[in-house]
Coordinates of all heavy atoms in Angstrom, one line a residue:
G987 N 12.2 63.9 -39.8 CA 13.2 64.3 -39.0 C 14.0 65.5 -39.3 O 13.4 66.6 -39.5
G988 N 15.3 65.3 -39.4 CA 16.2 66.4 -39.4 C 16.5 67.1 -40.7 O 16.7 68.3 -40.8
S989 N 16.3 66.4 -41.9 CA 16.8 67.0 -43.1 C 15.7 67.9 -43.8 O 16.0 68.9 -44.3 CB 17.3 65.9 -44.1 OG 16.3 65.0 -44.4
N990 N 14.5 67.4 -43.9 CA 13.5 68.2 -44.6 C 12.4 68.6 -43.8 O 11.3 69.1 -44.3 CB 13.0 67.3 -45.8 CG 14.0 67.0 -46.8 OD1 14.8 67.8 -47.2 ND2 14.1 65.7 -47.2
G991 N 12.5 68.6 -42.4 CA 11.5 69.1 -41.6 C 10.5 67.9 -41.3 O 10.6 66.9 -41.8
D992 N 9.6 68.2 -40.4 CA 8.7 67.2 -39.9 C 7.3 67.6 -40.5 O 7.0 68.7 -40.5 CB 8.7 67.2 -38.4 CG 7.8 66.2 -37.8 OD1 6.6 66.4 -37.8 OD2 8.3 65.2 -37.2
V993 N 6.5 66.6 -40.8 CA 5.2 66.8 -41.4 C 4.4 67.6 -40.4 O 3.5 68.4 -40.8 CB 4.4 65.6 -41.9 CG1 5.2 64.9 -43.0 CG2 4.3 64.6 -40.7
N994 N 4.6 67.5 -39.1 CA 3.8 68.2 -38.1 C 4.4 69.7 -37.9 O 3.7 70.4 -37.3 CB 3.8 67.4 -36.9 CG 3.1 66.2 -37.0 OD1 2.0 66.1 -37.5 ND2 3.6 65.1 -36.4
M995 N 5.6 69.8 -38.3 CA 6.2 71.2 -38.1 C 6.4 72.0 -39.4 O 6.7 73.2 -39.3 CB 7.6 71.0 -37.5 CG 7.6 70.4 -36.1 SD 9.3 70.0 -35.7 CE 9.3 70.2 -33.9
G996 N 6.4 71.3 -40.5 CA 6.6 72.0 -41.8 C 8.1 71.9 -42.2 O 8.9 71.5 -41.4
P997 N 8.4 72.4 -43.3 CA 9.8 72.3 -43.8 C 10.7 73.4 -43.1 O 10.2 74.4 -42.5 CB 9.7 72.7 -45.3 CG 8.5 73.5 -45.4 CD 7.5 73.0 -44.3
N998 N 11.9 73.0 -43.1 CA 12.9 74.0 -42.5 C 13.0 75.3 -43.4 O 12.8 75.2 -44.6 CB 14.3 73.4 -42.4 CG 14.4 72.3 -41.4 OD1 13.8 72.4 -40.3 ND2 15.1 71.2 -41.7
V999 N 13.2 76.4 -42.7 CA 13.3 77.6 -43.4 C 14.8 78.1 -43.2 O 15.2 78.3 -42.1 CB 12.3 78.7 -42.9 CG1 12.5 80.0 -43.7 CG2 10.9 78.2 -43.1
W1000 N 15.5 78.3 -44.3 CA 16.9 78.6 -44.3 C 17.1 80.0 -44.8 O 16.5 80.4 -45.8 CB 17.7 77.6 -45.1 CG 17.6 76.2 -44.6 CD1 16.8 75.2 -45.2 CD2 18.3 75.6 -43.5 NE1 17.0 74.1 -44.5 CE2 17.9 74.3 -43.5 CE3 19.2 76.1 -42.6 CZ2 18.3 73.4 -42.5 CZ3 19.6 75.2 -41.6 CH2 19.2 73.9 -41.6
P1001 N 18.0 80.8 -44.2 CA 18.3 82.1 -44.7 C 19.4 82.0 -45.8 O 20.5 82.5 -45.7 CB 18.9 82.9 -43.4 CG 19.6 81.7 -42.7 CD 18.7 80.5 -42.9
R1002 N 19.0 81.4 -46.9 CA 19.9 81.2 -48.0 C 20.6 82.4 -48.6 O 21.7 82.4 -48.9 CB 19.3 80.3 -49.1 CG 19.0 78.9 -48.6 CD 18.5 78.0 -49.7 NE 18.3 76.7 -49.2 CZ 17.1 76.1 -49.0 NH1 16.0 76.8 -49.2 NH2 17.0 74.9 -48.5
D1003 N 19.8 83.4 -48.8 CA 20.3 84.6 -49.4 C 21.2 85.4 -48.5 O 22.3 85.9 -48.8 CB 19.1 85.5 -49.9 CG 18.4 85.0 -51.0 OD1 18.9 84.1 -51.7 OD2 17.2 85.3 -51.2
E1004 N 20.8 85.5 -47.2 CA 21.6 86.3 -46.2 C 22.8 85.5 -45.7 O 23.9 86.1 -45.5 CB 20.7 86.6 -45.0 CG 19.5 87.5 -45.3 CD 18.3 86.6 -45.8 OE1 18.4 85.4 -45.9 OE2 17.3 87.3 -46.1
L1005 N 22.7 84.2 -45.5 CA 23.8 83.4 -45.0 C 23.9 82.1 -45.7 O 23.4 81.0 -45.3 CB 23.5 83.1 -43.5 CG 23.4 84.2 -42.5 CD1 22.8 83.8 -41.2 CD2 24.7 84.9 -42.4
P1006 N 24.4 82.1 -47.0 CA 24.5 80.9 -47.8 C 25.2 79.7 -47.2 O 25.0 78.6 -47.5 CB 25.1 81.4 -49.1 CG 25.9 82.6 -48.7 CD 25.1 83.3 -47.5
F1007 N 26.1 80.0 -46.3 CA 26.9 78.9 -45.6 C 26.2 78.2 -44.5 O 26.6 77.2 -44.0 CB 28.3 79.5 -45.1 CG 28.1 80.6 -44.1 CD1 27.9 80.3 -42.7 CD2 28.0 81.9 -44.5 CE1 27.6 81.4 -41.8 CE2 27.8 83.0 -43.6 CZ 27.6 82.6 -42.3
F1008 N 25.1 78.9 -43.9 CA 24.4 78.5 -42.8 C 23.8 77.0 -42.9 O 24.1 76.2 -42.0 CB 23.3 79.5 -42.4 CG 22.7 79.2 -41.1 CD1 23.4 79.4 -39.9 CD2 21.4 78.7 -41.0 CE1 22.7 79.2 -38.6 CE2 20.7 78.5 -39.8 CZ 21.5 78.7 -38.6
E1009 N 23.0 76.8 -43.9 CA 22.4 75.5 -44.1 C 23.4 74.3 -44.1 O 23.2 73.4 -43.4 CB 21.4 75.5 -45.3 CG 20.8 74.1 -45.5 CD 19.8 74.1 -46.7 OE1 19.8 75.0 -47.4 OE2 19.2 73.0 -46.8
P1010 N 24.4 74.4 -45.0 CA 25.4 73.2 -45.0 C 26.1 73.0 -43.7 O 26.3 71.9 -43.3 CB 26.3 73.6 -46.1 CG 26.1 74.9 -46.5 CD 24.7 75.4 -46.0
R1011 N 26.4 74.1 -43.0 CA 27.0 73.9 -41.7 C 26.1 73.4 -40.6 O 26.5 72.5 -39.9 CB 27.6 75.3 -41.2 CG 28.8 75.7 -42.1 CD 29.5 76.9 -41.5 NE 30.5 77.4 -42.3 CZ 31.2 78.6 -42.2 NH1 30.8 79.4 -41.3 NH2 32.1 78.9 -43.1
V1012 N 24.9 73.8 -40.6 CA 23.9 73.3 -39.6 C 23.6 71.8 -39.9 O 23.6 71.0 -39.1 CB 22.7 74.1 -39.6 CG1 21.5 73.4 -38.8 CG2 22.9 75.5 -39.0
R1013 N 23.5 71.5 -41.2 CA 23.3 70.1 -41.6 C 24.5 69.2 -41.2 O 24.3 68.1 -40.8 CB 23.0 69.9 -43.1 CG 21.6 70.4 -43.5 CD 21.3 70.2 -44.9 NE 20.0 70.8 -45.3 CZ 18.9 70.1 -45.2 NH1 18.8 68.9 -44.7 NH2 17.8 70.8 -45.6
G1014 N 25.7 69.7 -41.4 CA 26.9 69.0 -41.0 C 26.9 68.8 -39.5 O 27.3 67.7 -39.0
L1015 N 26.5 69.8 -38.7 CA 26.4 69.7 -37.2 C 25.4 68.6 -36.8 O 25.6 67.8 -36.0 CB 26.1 71.0 -36.6 CG 25.9 71.0 -35.1 CD1 27.2 70.6 -34.4 CD2 25.5 72.4 -34.6
Y1016 N 24.3 68.7 -37.6 CA 23.2 67.6 -37.3 C 23.7 66.3 -37.5 O 23.5 65.4 -36.7 CB 22.0 67.9 -38.2 CG 20.9 67.0 -38.0 CD1 19.9 67.2 -37.0 CD2 20.8 65.9 -38.7 CE1 18.9 66.3 -36.8 CE2 19.7 64.9 -38.5 CZ 18.8 65.2 -37.6 OH 17.7 64.3 -37.4
D1017 N 24.5 66.1 -38.6 CA 25.0 64.7 -38.9 C 26.1 64.3 -37.8 O 26.1 63.2 -37.4 CB 25.7 64.7 -40.3 CG 24.7 64.8 -41.4 OD1 23.4 64.5 -41.1 OD2 25.1 65.2 -42.5
Q1018 N 26.9 65.3 -37.4 CA 27.9 64.9 -36.4 C 27.2 64.6 -35.0 O 27.6 63.6 -34.4 CB 28.9 66.1 -36.2 CG 29.8 66.3 -37.3 CD 30.7 67.5 -37.2 OE1 30.6 68.3 -36.3 NE2 31.7 67.6 -38.1
L1019 N 26.2 65.4 -34.7 CA 25.4 65.1 -33.4 C 24.7 63.8 -33.5 O 24.5 63.0 -32.5 CB 24.6 66.2 -33.1 CG 25.2 67.5 -32.6 CD1 24.2 68.7 -32.5 CD2 26.1 67.3 -31.4
T1020 N 24.2 63.4 -34.7 CA 23.6 62.1 -34.9 C 24.6 61.0 -34.6 O 24.2 60.0 -33.9 CB 23.0 62.0 -36.3 OG1 22.0 63.0 -36.5 CG2 22.4 60.6 -36.5
G1021 N 25.8 61.2 -35.0 CA 26.9 60.2 -34.8 C 27.1 60.1 -33.3 O 27.3 59.0 -32.7
V1022 N 27.2 61.2 -32.6 CA 27.4 61.2 -31.1 C 26.2 60.5 -30.5 O 26.5 59.7 -29.5 CB 27.5 62.7 -30.6 CG1 27.5 62.7 -29.1 CG2 28.8 63.3 -31.1
S1023 N 25.0 60.7 -30.9 CA 23.9 60.0 -30.3 C 23.9 58.5 -30.5 O 23.6 57.8 -29.6 CB 22.5 60.6 -30.8 OG 22.3 60.2 -32.1
Q1024 N 24.4 58.1 -31.6 CA 24.6 56.6 -31.8 C 25.6 56.0 -30.8 O 25.4 55.0 -30.2 CB 25.1 56.4 -33.3 CG 24.1 56.8 -34.3 CD 22.8 56.0 -34.2 OE1 22.8 54.8 -33.9 NE2 21.6 56.6 -34.4
V1025 N 26.7 56.7 -30.5 CA 27.7 56.4 -29.5 C 27.0 56.3 -28.1 O 27.2 55.4 -27.4 CB 28.9 57.2 -29.6 CG1 29.8 57.0 -28.4 CG2 29.7 57.1 -30.9
L1026 N 26.3 57.4 -27.8 CA 25.6 57.4 -26.5 C 24.6 56.3 -26.4 O 24.5 55.7 -25.3 CB 24.9 58.8 -26.3 CG 25.9 59.9 -26.1 CD1 25.2 61.3 -26.1 CD2 26.7 59.8 -24.8
F1027 N 23.8 56.0 -27.4 CA 22.9 54.8 -27.3 C 23.6 53.6 -26.9 O 23.1 52.8 -26.0 CB 22.2 54.6 -28.6 CG 21.0 55.5 -28.9 CD1 20.8 56.2 -30.1 CD2 20.0 55.7 -27.9 CE1 19.7 56.9 -30.4 CE2 18.9 56.5 -28.2 CZ 18.8 57.1 -29.4
C1028 N 24.8 53.3 -27.5 CA 25.5 52.1 -27.1 C 26.1 52.2 -25.7 O 26.0 51.2 -24.9 CB 26.7 52.0 -28.1 SG 26.3 51.5 -29.7
A1029 N 26.5 53.4 -25.3 CA 27.0 53.6 -24.0 C 26.0 53.4 -22.9 O 26.2 52.7 -21.9 CB 27.7 54.9 -23.8
F1030 N 24.7 53.9 -23.2 CA 23.7 53.7 -22.3 C 23.3 52.3 -22.1 O 23.0 51.8 -21.0 CB 22.4 54.5 -22.7 CG 22.6 56.0 -22.7 CD1 21.8 56.8 -23.6 CD2 23.5 56.7 -22.0 CE1 21.9 58.2 -23.6 CE2 23.7 58.0 -22.0 CZ 22.9 58.8 -22.8
A1031 N 23.2 51.6 -23.2 CA 22.9 50.1 -23.2 C 23.9 49.3 -22.4 O 23.6 48.5 -21.6 CB 22.7 49.6 -24.6
E1032 N 25.2 49.6 -22.7 CA 26.2 48.9 -22.0 C 26.2 49.2 -20.5 O 26.5 48.3 -19.7 CB 27.6 49.1 -22.7 CG 27.7 48.6 -24.1 CD 28.9 48.9 -24.8 OE1 29.8 49.7 -24.3 OE2 29.0 48.6 -26.0
A1033 N 26.0 50.4 -20.1 CA 26.0 50.8 -18.7 C 24.8 50.1 -18.0 O 24.9 49.8 -16.8 CB 25.7 52.3 -18.6
L1034 N 23.8 49.7 -18.8 CA 22.6 48.9 -18.2 C 22.8 47.4 -18.4 O 21.9 46.7 -18.1 CB 21.3 49.4 -18.8 CG 20.9 50.8 -18.5 CD1 19.8 51.3 -19.4 CD2 20.6 51.0 -17.0
H1035 N 24.0 47.0 -18.8 CA 24.3 45.6 -19.0 C 23.4 45.0 -20.0 O 22.9 43.8 -19.9 CB 24.3 44.8 -17.7 CG 25.2 45.4 -16.7 ND1 26.6 45.4 -16.8 CD2 25.0 46.1 -15.6 CE1 27.2 46.0 -15.8 NE2 26.2 46.5 -15.0
L1036 N 23.1 45.7 -21.1 CA 22.3 45.3 -22.2 C 23.1 45.1 -23.4 O 24.2 45.7 -23.5 CB 21.1 46.2 -22.5 CG 20.1 46.5 -21.3 CD1 19.2 47.7 -21.7 CD2 19.3 45.2 -21.1
P1037 N 22.7 44.4 -24.4 CA 23.5 44.4 -25.7 C 23.6 45.8 -26.2 O 22.8 46.6 -26.1 CB 22.6 43.5 -26.6 CG 21.8 42.7 -25.7 CD 21.5 43.5 -24.5
S1038 N 24.8 46.1 -26.8 CA 25.1 47.5 -27.2 C 24.2 48.0 -28.3 O 24.0 49.2 -28.3 CB 26.6 47.6 -27.6 OG 26.8 46.8 -28.8
D1039 N 23.5 47.2 -29.0 CA 22.6 47.7 -30.0 C 21.2 47.8 -29.6 O 20.3 48.1 -30.4 CB 22.7 46.8 -31.3 CG 22.2 45.4 -31.1 OD1 22.1 45.0 -29.9 OD2 21.9 44.8 -32.1
T1040 N 20.9 47.6 -28.3 CA 19.6 47.7 -27.8 C 18.8 48.9 -28.2 O 17.7 48.9 -28.6 CB 19.6 47.5 -26.2 OG1 20.1 46.3 -25.9 CG2 18.2 47.6 -25.7
F1041 N 19.4 50.1 -27.9 CA 18.7 51.3 -28.3 C 18.9 51.8 -29.7 O 18.0 52.4 -30.3 CB 19.2 52.4 -27.3 CG 18.9 52.1 -25.8 CD1 19.9 52.0 -24.9 CD2 17.6 51.8 -25.4 CE1 19.7 51.7 -23.6 CE2 17.3 51.5 -24.1 CZ 18.4 51.5 -23.2
R1042 N 20.1 51.5 -30.2 CA 20.4 51.9 -31.6 C 19.4 51.2 -32.6 O 19.1 51.7 -33.6 CB 21.8 51.5 -32.0 CG 22.8 52.5 -31.4 CD 24.2 52.2 -31.8 NE 24.3 52.2 -33.3 CZ 25.4 51.9 -33.9 NH1 26.5 51.7 -33.3 NH2 25.5 51.9 -35.2
A1043 N 18.9 50.1 -32.2 CA 18.0 49.3 -33.1 C 16.7 50.2 -33.3 O 16.1 50.0 -34.4 CB 17.6 48.0 -32.5
H1044 N 16.4 51.1 -32.5 CA 15.2 51.9 -32.6 C 15.5 53.3 -33.2 O 14.6 54.1 -33.5 CB 14.5 52.0 -31.2 CG 14.2 50.7 -30.6 ND1 13.1 50.1 -31.1 CD2 14.7 50.0 -29.7 CE1 12.9 48.9 -30.4 NE2 14.0 48.9 -29.5
A1045 N 16.8 53.6 -33.4 CA 17.2 54.9 -34.0 C 17.3 54.7 -35.5 O 18.4 54.8 -36.0 CB 18.4 55.3 -33.3
T1046 N 16.2 54.6 -36.1 CA 16.2 54.3 -37.6 C 15.9 55.6 -38.3 O 15.8 56.7 -37.7 CB 15.1 53.3 -37.9 OG1 13.8 53.9 -37.7 CG2 15.2 52.0 -37.2
E1047 N 15.9 55.6 -39.6 CA 15.6 56.8 -40.4 C 14.3 57.3 -40.1 O 14.0 58.6 -40.3 CB 15.7 56.5 -41.9 CG 17.2 56.3 -42.4 CD 17.9 57.6 -42.3 OE1 17.4 58.7 -42.7 OE2 19.1 57.5 -42.0
N1048 N 13.3 56.5 -39.6 CA 12.0 57.0 -39.3 C 11.8 57.5 -37.9 O 10.8 58.0 -37.5 CB 10.9 55.8 -39.5 CG 10.9 55.4 -40.9 OD1 11.0 56.2 -41.9 ND2 10.7 54.1 -41.2
A1049 N 12.9 57.3 -37.1 CA 12.8 57.9 -35.7 C 12.9 59.4 -35.8 O 13.5 60.0 -36.6 CB 14.0 57.4 -34.9
R1050 N 12.2 60.0 -34.8 CA 12.1 61.4 -34.8 C 13.4 62.0 -34.1 O 13.6 61.7 -32.9 CB 10.9 61.9 -34.0 CG 10.7 63.4 -34.0 CD 9.4 63.8 -33.4 NE 9.3 65.2 -33.5 CZ 8.1 65.9 -33.4 NH1 7.0 65.2 -33.2 NH2 8.1 67.2 -33.5
A1051 N 14.1 62.9 -34.7 CA 15.2 63.5 -34.1 C 15.1 65.0 -34.5 O 14.8 65.4 -35.7 CB 16.5 63.0 -34.7
T1052 N 15.2 65.8 -33.5 CA 15.0 67.3 -33.8 C 16.2 68.1 -33.3 O 16.8 67.7 -32.3 CB 13.8 67.8 -32.9 OG1 12.6 67.0 -33.3 CG2 13.5 69.2 -33.2
M1053 N 16.6 69.1 -34.0 CA 17.7 69.9 -33.6 C 17.1 71.4 -33.6 O 16.6 71.8 -34.6 CB 18.9 69.8 -34.5 CG 20.1 70.6 -34.1 SD 21.6 70.3 -34.9 CE 21.6 71.6 -36.1
R1054 N 17.2 72.0 -32.5 CA 16.8 73.4 -32.3 C 18.1 74.2 -32.0 O 18.8 73.8 -31.1 CB 15.8 73.5 -31.2 CG 14.5 72.9 -31.6 CD 13.5 73.1 -30.5 NE 12.3 72.4 -30.8 CZ 11.9 71.3 -30.1 NH1 12.5 70.9 -29.0 NH2 10.8 70.7 -30.4
L1055 N 18.3 75.3 -32.7 CA 19.4 76.2 -32.4 C 18.9 77.3 -31.5 O 18.1 78.1 -31.9 CB 20.0 76.8 -33.7 CG 20.5 75.7 -34.7 CD1 20.9 76.4 -36.0 CD2 21.5 74.8 -34.2
L1056 N 19.3 77.2 -30.3 CA 19.0 78.2 -29.3 C 20.2 78.9 -28.7 O 21.2 78.3 -28.6 CB 18.2 77.6 -28.1 CG 16.9 76.8 -28.5 CD1 16.4 76.0 -27.3 CD2 15.9 77.7 -29.1
R1057 N 20.1 80.2 -28.4 CA 21.2 80.9 -27.9 C 20.7 81.6 -26.7 O 19.7 82.3 -26.7 CB 21.7 82.0 -28.9 CG 22.9 82.8 -28.2 CD 23.4 83.8 -29.3 NE 24.4 84.6 -28.7 CZ 24.2 85.8 -28.0 NH1 23.0 86.2 -27.8 NH2 25.2 86.4 -27.4
Y1058 N 21.4 81.4 -25.6 CA 21.0 82.1 -24.3 C 22.1 83.1 -24.1 O 23.3 82.8 -23.8 CB 21.0 81.1 -23.1 CG 19.9 80.1 -23.3 CD1 20.1 78.8 -23.8 CD2 18.6 80.4 -22.9 CE1 19.1 77.9 -23.9 CE2 17.6 79.5 -23.0 CZ 17.8 78.2 -23.5 OH 16.8 77.4 -23.7
A1059 N 21.8 84.4 -24.2 CA 22.8 85.4 -23.9 C 23.1 85.4 -22.5 O 22.2 85.2 -21.6 CB 22.1 86.8 -24.3
P1060 N 24.4 85.6 -22.1 CA 24.8 85.6 -20.7 C 23.9 86.6 -19.9 O 23.8 87.8 -20.2 CB 26.2 86.1 -20.7 CG 26.7 85.9 -22.1 CD 25.5 86.0 -23.0
G1061 N 23.3 86.1 -18.8 CA 22.5 86.9 -17.9 C 21.2 87.3 -18.5 O 20.5 88.1 -17.9
A1062 N 20.8 86.8 -19.6 CA 19.5 87.3 -20.2 C 18.3 86.8 -19.5 O 17.2 87.4 -19.5 CB 19.5 86.8 -21.7
V1063 N 18.3 85.6 -18.8 CA 17.2 85.1 -18.2 C 17.4 85.2 -16.7 O 18.3 84.6 -16.2 CB 16.9 83.6 -18.6 CG1 15.7 83.1 -17.8 CG2 16.7 83.5 -20.1
S1064 N 16.5 85.9 -16.0 CA 16.7 86.1 -14.6 C 16.2 84.9 -13.9 O 15.3 84.2 -14.4 CB 15.9 87.3 -14.1 OG 14.6 87.2 -14.4
E1065 N 16.7 84.6 -12.7 CA 16.2 83.5 -11.9 C 14.7 83.6 -11.6 O 14.3 84.6 -11.2 CB 17.0 83.4 -10.6 CG 16.8 82.1 -9.9 CD 17.7 82.0 -8.7 OE1 18.9 82.5 -8.8 OE2 17.2 81.5 -7.6
G1066 N 14.0 82.5 -12.0 CA 12.6 82.5 -11.7 C 11.8 83.1 -12.8 O 10.6 83.2 -12.8
G1067 N 12.5 83.6 -13.8 CA 11.8 84.4 -14.9 C 11.2 83.3 -15.9 O 11.5 82.1 -15.9
S1068 N 10.4 83.8 -16.8 CA 9.7 83.0 -17.8 C 10.6 82.5 -18.9 O 10.4 81.5 -19.6 CB 8.4 83.7 -18.3 OG 8.9 84.8 -19.1
G1069 N 11.7 83.3 -19.2 CA 12.5 83.1 -20.3 C 11.9 83.4 -21.6 O 12.5 83.2 -22.7
V1070 N 10.8 84.1 -21.7 CA 10.2 84.5 -22.9 C 10.4 86.0 -23.2 O 10.2 86.8 -22.2 CB 8.6 84.2 -22.9 CG1 8.0 84.6 -24.1 CG2 8.4 82.8 -22.6
A1071 N 10.8 86.3 -24.3 CA 11.1 87.8 -24.7 C 9.7 88.5 -24.7 O 8.7 88.1 -25.1 CB 11.7 87.8 -26.0
S1072 N 9.8 89.8 -24.2 CA 8.7 90.6 -24.2 C 8.3 91.1 -25.6 O 9.2 91.1 -26.5 CB 8.8 91.8 -23.2 OG 9.9 92.6 -23.7
A1073 N 7.2 91.6 -25.9 CA 6.8 92.1 -27.2 C 7.6 93.2 -27.6 O 7.9 93.4 -28.8 CB 5.3 92.4 -27.2
D1074 N 8.0 94.1 -26.7 CA 8.8 95.2 -27.1 C 10.3 94.9 -27.2 O 11.1 95.8 -27.4 CB 8.6 96.4 -26.1 CG 9.0 96.1 -24.7 OD1 9.6 95.1 -24.5 OD2 8.9 97.0 -23.9
G1075 N 10.7 93.7 -26.9 CA 12.1 93.3 -27.0 C 12.9 93.7 -25.8 O 14.1 93.4 -25.7
G1076 N 12.3 94.3 -24.8 CA 13.0 94.7 -23.6 C 13.0 93.7 -22.4 O 13.6 93.9 -21.4
G1077 N 12.3 92.6 -22.6 CA 12.2 91.6 -21.6 C 13.3 90.6 -21.7 O 14.4 90.8 -22.2
E1078 N 13.1 89.4 -21.1 CA 14.0 88.3 -21.1 C 14.2 87.6 -22.5 O 13.3 87.7 -23.3 CB 13.6 87.3 -20.0 CG 13.5 87.9 -18.6 CD 12.8 86.9 -17.7 OE1 12.2 85.9 -18.1 OE2 12.9 87.2 -16.5
I1079 N 15.3 87.0 -22.6 CA 15.5 86.3 -23.8 C 15.7 84.8 -23.5 O 16.4 84.5 -22.5 CB 16.8 86.8 -24.5 CG1 16.6 88.2 -24.9 CG2 17.1 86.0 -25.8 CD1 17.9 88.9 -25.3
G1080 N 15.2 83.9 -24.3 CA 15.5 82.5 -24.1 C 14.3 81.7 -24.5 O 13.5 82.1 -25.4
I1081 N 14.0 80.6 -23.8 CA 13.0 79.7 -24.1 C 12.2 79.3 -22.8 O 12.9 79.2 -21.7 CB 13.5 78.4 -24.8 CG1 12.3 77.6 -25.3 CG2 14.4 77.6 -23.9 CD1 12.7 76.5 -26.3
S1082 N 11.0 79.3 -22.9 CA 10.2 79.0 -21.6 C 10.2 77.6 -21.2 O 10.8 76.7 -22.0 CB 8.7 79.5 -21.8 OG 8.1 78.7 -22.9
A1083 N 9.8 77.3 -20.1 CA 9.7 75.9 -19.6 C 9.1 75.0 -20.6 O 8.0 75.4 -21.2 CB 9.0 75.8 -18.2
H1084 N 9.6 73.8 -20.8 CA 9.1 72.9 -21.8 C 9.6 71.5 -21.5 O 10.4 71.3 -20.6 CB 9.6 73.4 -23.2 CG 11.0 73.2 -23.4 ND1 11.9 74.1 -22.8 CD2 11.8 72.3 -24.0 CE1 13.2 73.7 -23.2 NE2 13.1 72.6 -23.8
T1085 N 9.1 70.6 -22.3 CA 9.5 69.2 -22.2 C 10.1 68.8 -23.5 O 9.5 69.1 -24.6 CB 8.2 68.3 -21.9 OG1 7.6 68.7 -20.7 CG2 8.6 66.8 -21.8
D1086 N 11.2 68.1 -23.5 CA 11.8 67.5 -24.7 C 11.3 66.1 -24.8 O 11.2 65.3 -23.9 CB 13.3 67.4 -24.5 CG 13.9 68.8 -24.6 OD1 13.3 69.8 -25.1 OD2 15.0 69.0 -24.0
F1087 N 10.9 65.7 -26.0 CA 10.2 64.5 -26.3 C 11.2 63.4 -26.9 O 10.8 62.3 -27.1 CB 9.0 64.7 -27.2 CG 7.9 65.4 -26.5 CD1 7.7 66.8 -26.8 CD2 7.1 64.8 -25.6 CE1 6.8 67.5 -26.2 CE2 6.1 65.6 -24.9 CZ 5.9 66.9 -25.2
E1088 N 12.4 63.8 -27.2 CA 13.4 62.8 -27.7 C 13.9 62.0 -26.5 O 13.6 62.2 -25.4 CB 14.5 63.6 -28.3 CG 14.1 64.4 -29.6 CD 13.4 65.7 -29.4 OE1 13.5 66.2 -28.2 OE2 12.8 66.2 -30.3
C1089 N 14.7 61.0 -26.9 CA 15.2 60.1 -25.9 C 16.1 60.8 -24.9 O 16.2 60.6 -23.7 CB 16.1 59.0 -26.5 SG 15.0 57.9 -27.5
F1090 N 17.0 61.7 -25.5 CA 17.8 62.6 -24.6 C 18.1 63.8 -25.4 O 17.9 63.9 -26.6 CB 19.1 61.8 -24.2 CG 19.9 61.3 -25.4 CD1 20.8 61.9 -26.1 CD2 19.7 59.9 -25.8 CE1 21.5 61.4 -27.1 CE2 20.4 59.4 -26.8 CZ 21.3 60.1 -27.5
T1091 N 18.7 64.8 -24.7 CA 19.0 66.1 -25.2 C 20.5 66.4 -25.1 O 21.1 66.2 -24.1 CB 18.2 67.2 -24.5 OG1 16.8 66.9 -24.7 CG2 18.5 68.5 -25.1
L1092 N 21.1 66.8 -26.2 CA 22.5 67.2 -26.2 C 22.5 68.7 -26.1 O 21.9 69.4 -26.9 CB 23.2 66.7 -27.4 CG 23.3 65.2 -27.6 CD1 23.9 64.9 -29.0 CD2 24.0 64.5 -26.6
I1093 N 23.2 69.3 -25.1 CA 23.3 70.7 -25.0 C 24.7 71.1 -25.2 O 25.6 70.6 -24.6 CB 22.8 71.1 -23.5 CG1 21.4 70.7 -23.4 CG2 23.0 72.6 -23.3 CD1 20.8 71.1 -22.1

């Protein structure tokens, strides 16, 4: 999952020389968001009148959790556009249509 990369994705690549503070801050954010997700798992279960640990029981160390850092510049993606940057850098910026495979996505 989150700390050392996924065997299917490879290890995380960090800009340690250029931004030495980046990795510890992103790891800290990941840990904080993992805590938020634990709270949300309980809230979802309780909203469905299930025991509060119903979903948390499956959120183990072996569960897949992914964090992607994406930035959408204001107005960068036009309505109906693909969201993919052009090769010359003059096109749209963002991420194309996709499916998230996690239980839920925090934006």
Side-chain angles (χ1 to χ4, degrees):
S989 62
N990 294 317
D992 183 288
V993 294
N994 297 314
M995 297 174 150
N998 290 322
V999 178
W1000 300 102
R1002 290 186 177 108
D1003 292 337
E1004 299 85 359
L1005 301 168
F1007 58 85
F1008 186 72
E1009 180 181 1
R1011 288 185 184 170
V1012 170
R1013 287 185 185 272
L1015 176 61
Y1016 181 88
D1017 291 341
Q1018 290 177 352
L1019 291 173
T1020 299
V1022 170
S1023 70
Q1024 296 296 319
V1025 172
L1026 289 173
F1027 277 134
C1028 289
F1030 296 157
E1032 291 173 4
L1034 295 169
H1035 306 289
L1036 298 170
S1038 64
D1039 66 343
T1040 298
F1041 300 120
R1042 284 183 55 179
H1044 300 284
T1046 66
E1047 286 293 319
N1048 295 324
R1050 183 174 183 159
T1052 305
M1053 184 167 94
R1054 294 184 186 111
L1055 302 177
L1056 303 172
R1057 178 180 179 270
Y1058 295 96
V1063 177
S1064 62
E1065 189 172 325
S1068 67
V1070 179
S1072 65
D1074 65 1
E1078 300 172 346
I1079 300 171
I1081 188 168
S1082 61
H1084 65 283
T1085 300
D1086 291 334
F1087 295 99
E1088 293 79 13
C1089 293
F1090 53 87
T1091 299
L1092 299 174
I1093 297 178

